[in-house]
Amino acid sequence: MSLRWGRLPDQDAVRLPHLPARVPRVADAQRGWALALLCFLVCGGLGFQSWTAVRVTGFDLGIFDQAIRAYAHFGLPVSPIKNVHHEFPPGFSLLGDHFSPVLALLAPLYWVWDDPRMLLLAQAGLFATGVPVVRGIARHCFAGAAPSVARRAADGAGLVYALGWPLLNASYAGFHEVAFAVPITLLMLERGLARRYGSAALWAVLLCTVKEDMGLVAGLFGLLLAVRAHRSGHRAGRAAGAAVLLAGPLVSAVVIMWFLPAMGSPPGYYWSYDRLGANPGDALVHVLTEPWLVPQVAFSPGIKAAMLAWVLGALALLPLGSPTLLLAVPLLAERMLSDNPNHWPVINHYDAFLWPILLTAALETLARLHRRRLPRPAAESRRLPGRWACAAVALSSAAAVFLGLGLLVTPDSWRPSADKRALALAAERIPAGATVEADNSIAPRLTARTDVVIADATPRGADWVLLREDKRAFPFATVAEQRQRISLLVAHGYEEVWRRDGVVLLHRVRPVPLPGAARPGPGSTPVRERVPSDVGRDLFQR
């Protein structure tokens, strides 16, 4: 498969083709709605399964819940869980952590149901909105094919997308800003294929509001749009593409260099590329003078290569045949060049950012392979390139079963372990309005009615403390640290009020000075997370 910038379907104006009369529009719409409903039910089911089994945590569902609740009350997105644990000053806005103002669009949902599970439903709904867009992308790619081929391509693409393992992983993990990245990226790509250049540019701009690095993706989309428009002789497309090419990286640069620091983000807080250099300038010098350093870092340790092989191999390497894959380069480079082991496995939400790009690139490649078959007999030209399509569907389906669907139909996956069931029971005993330090696993169940932070290495002096003493909980390094904390609290004014299955609930009954207790103040210096040593060794470690 060769990488080409060439025209896609052989037509002068690529718009969503009218469905042939012999393909009932109602039936097609029903299939689309059924696939969208399937996506919503599967993604929402995995999210609620994680909630029921007490798998979703303060990092990150609790953080987003606190932030969007603040938006719902017309405030800045402040999260005590994030701020206290990482020692940010009081009132620090998450807009200084990551540039995701698009999340404010979810605030009205909290006027309907003020609960973290609303975010799980919202994410499932946003993912589901991508189904008709993906089906539209497939029709654009197969616009010159026989109607039966275009129909099968649209239905197959919708099914592969709806059950895509990156969406299942993201749903299983809780909620993240990727909920918006997926449908917005799809809409940007679909409008580009439709040659609706103004709409494509607007979606590219909106993509920049999802996260500070998405401007790089938008910029490469602008390049792709401009080159394809130039080859088609469309001046408006060249202009729109050039504008996005310049605006996307510029927005990212302004946000990273000016906006985030202006909102209180410490310089270099998220810099995790020390193998390339101590800062971006140093890294650039090293890359220019020692270019061999890039592949050395990108493929060491070996899990990084395994991650890349999995991401591309799950679609039978089809994305490699389309220049659209270039949009994924910044996102993959961020992870493969990173020193942070959290970025390497494929069980987090990071791959969902890639999913729209990978699937669109795979469809473009399949369409080109199909067009090469057209000179053959008509009976053959009415079939998709069978081996590649079947391989992609089979591999993607196997990945979906392995990483999500299997869990969804396993009864034990819906049941919390004994210690997590005890955490949930203990949380119900904490009164509304209390200040709480809680195990990371139970924090989301307390965000709606208490002032909760996660229990960490520093005592915070909360009214209530909920901890486990038999199983290690993030961010403690060992179970012994958790037991030492319980002993310290009992010796300094706390009383044990409830215990079951290794879970201890403590209540502060005497205002005794607590050694080492502290909460971040106005001059607090943020600290970076220490990654446990067992992270980043297994591609599928949850």
Side-chain angles (χ1 to χ4, degrees), residues 276 283 286-288 290-300 336-337:
L276 296 178
H286 283 154
V287 168
L288 294 176
E290 304 173 50
W292 56 86
L293 187 62
V294 173
Q296 288 177 357
V297 172
F299 294 100
S300 176
M336 296 188 68
L337 297 176

Side-chain angles (χ1 to χ4, degrees), residues 26-41:
V26 173
D28 184 80
Q30 288 175 342
R31 290 196 303 275
W33 280 108
L35 289 171
L37 179 61
L38 175 66
C39 182
F40 177 78
L41 292 176

Side-chain angles (χ1 to χ4, degrees), residues 29 44-45 48 53 61 66 107-108 126 176 239 311 328 331 402 432 437 488 530:
F48 271 73
L61 179 61
Q66 289 177 329
L126 287 165
H176 294 86
V311 165
L331 302 177
F402 176 58
E437 294 171 60
L488 176 70
R530 292 182 301 169

Side-chain angles (χ1 to χ4, degrees), residues 215-364:
L216 304 179
V217 177
L220 286 173
F221 170 74
L223 174 64
L224 184 70
L225 193 69
V227 172
R228 285 178 169 172
H230 174 73
R231 293 178 66 89
S232 301
H234 291 174
R235 295 179 59 185
R238 286 199 303 268
V244 174
L245 171 62
L246 295 174
L250 180 61
V251 169
S252 287
V254 169
V255 167
I256 293 171
M257 298 176 64
W258 176 78
F259 182 84
L260 295 180
M263 296 296 290
S265 178
Y269 184 74
Y270 279 115
W271 181 255
S272 58
Y273 305 94
D274 290 336
R275 292 177 65 188
L276 296 178
N279 53 61
D282 191 29
L284 179 61
V285 171
H286 283 154
V287 168
L288 294 176
T289 58
E290 304 173 50
W292 56 86
L293 187 62
V294 173
Q296 288 177 357
V297 172
F299 294 100
S300 176
I303 189 176
K304 295 181 180 180
M307 179 264 288
L308 182 63
W310 175 274
V311 165
L312 297 175
L315 286 172
L317 303 181
L318 284 170
L320 290 171
S322 168
T324 297
L325 183 63
L326 293 175
L327 276 64
V329 170
L331 302 177
L332 286 169
E334 284 178 344
R335 295 170 63 188
M336 296 188 68
L337 297 176
S338 173
D339 302 328
N340 187 344
N342 285 308
H343 295 156
W344 307 337
V346 296
I347 45 73
N348 297 317
H349 63 285
Y350 301 114
D351 291 308
F353 286 97
L354 299 167
W355 190 229
I357 301 168
L358 296 173
L359 195 51
T360 300
L363 286 168
E364 290 175 346

